[in-house]
Amino acid sequence: MHIDPSARFATRAIHAGQSPDPATGAICTPIYQTSTFVQASPGKIIGEYDYSRAANPTRTALEANLASLEGGRHGLAFSSGVAATGAVIHLLKAGDHVLLCDDVYGGTNRIFHRVFQQLGIEITLVDMTDHDATRAAMRPETKLVWIETPTNPMLKIVDIAVLAEIAKSAGAMVAVDNTFASPYLQNPLRLGTDIVCHSMTKYLGGHSDAIGGALIVNDDDIHKRLKFIQLSEGAVPGIQECFLFLRSTKTLHVRMDRHCENAAKVARFLEAHKKVEKVLYPGLESHPQHAIARKQMRGFGGMITIYLKGGLAESRAMLETVRIFALAESLGGVESLIEHPAIMTHASVPADQRAKLGIADNLVRLSVGIEDVDDLIADLERAIG
Ligand SMILES: *Cc1c(COP(=O)(O)O)cnc(C)c1O
């Protein structure tokens, strides 16, 4: 079965990259749990495969599915989101300069600064909602602009099209970490960028049961270079994980609709609550980049960050009182999670940078799941007191 690339999202989510197994008619792509493939004669492979680090049919189906969801030509699957990030950075060489969004995922900050900086990659952190500051930070050696939007945990929205233009006019590649939005809500390749990166662990997987990463690109040359890095470094996902992600993307649109609907209701409840100082959610009119979110996203996602009135004591009380929201790192699964960025997800970000970004003791991050929203609101009501 060949899915027309012009088919709508839900149809592509379920069918792209997959066709019934020719041998048995199985509607689901089998788990080709094999490391190697028998050859007809030396060097003459039977089908398209010789060794599963290079390629495996289950992974190929997943990679084609991911490419279709982002509206890109090529998909590449990795063993984790940070492995996918590392592959992009390996396109660079010593002396190259990177412009990095100031409020990126903690692990992204860590791999840039603590793994690649010592190999000679130069990095400048910049608030990418400030376009003048971004333009001013570009250098002749800037080869990569790394965007994350919505950002984590401040949920700032970066104008992808404007950033793509700033980078392009300086000859730099642009990569967007699209994990928080998922391909259902935002497609950066269509806004002029070169590489989309995902932690599949989050919304693409959606069930908190597998770790994986992905890159999606249009350009054949960038794809060839990244595929070479994927093969050479070997950070590929296991075959069972590929099957799990392939199953999960079939319901991405349904899950995301409910994440968005629930989060919007929770955000409005929290915004009206007297013990909440401030709510950061791109779907609220009070969000500083609400207009940009409207322009580049189809919905506002399931992530909410709040400032409680008070300090660490109030945050702790809330985190220890919730019953449905689980106290855990990560996000994007069907179950609601709550966490304290300063102590948990962003502990690896240096304290001065945390302070500059606003990651304070009264900051709490919610990943709103797809449980009944009235139960979620009741849980928060009881916990905030
Ligand atoms: C989790 C996450 C990553 C890293 O992904 P892993 O699968 O945990 O390696 C990267 N970017 C964002 C925005 C994330 O939330």
Side-chain angles (χ1 to χ4, degrees), residues 79-85 104-108 146 148 150 152 177-180 197-202 210-213 330-331 365:
S79 55
S80 68
V82 293
T85 305
V104 282
Y105 174 69
T108 304
W146 185 279
E148 193 174 308
N152 176 14
D177 184 334
N178 203 27
T179 300
F180 270 37
C197 175
H198 279 284
S199 167
M200 294 197 288
T201 313
K202 317 296 167 52
I211 302 270
S330 197
L331 59 113
R365 191 188 79 179

Side-chain angles (χ1 to χ4, degrees), residues 60-130:
T60 301
L62 171 63
E63 292 179 333
N65 184 257
L66 294 165
S68 174
L69 294 187
E70 281 290 4
R73 285 165 54 79
H74 308 285
L76 291 163
F78 291 84
S79 55
S80 68
V82 293
T85 305
V88 174
I89 310 173
H90 270 133
L91 293 171
L92 306 177
K93 58 182 190 327
D96 287 349
H97 174 247
V98 178
L99 221 55
L100 184 61
C101 184
D102 63 352
D103 187 30
V104 282
Y105 174 69
T108 304
N109 194 52
R110 181 172 54 204
I111 192 172
F112 270 104
H113 284 99
R114 300 195 37 208
V115 179
F116 284 97
Q117 193 164 251
Q118 65 188 1
L119 299 177
I121 304 291
E122 299 191 18
I123 303 154
T124 303
L125 287 168
V126 64
D127 176 357
M128 293 188 176
T129 62
D130 182 341

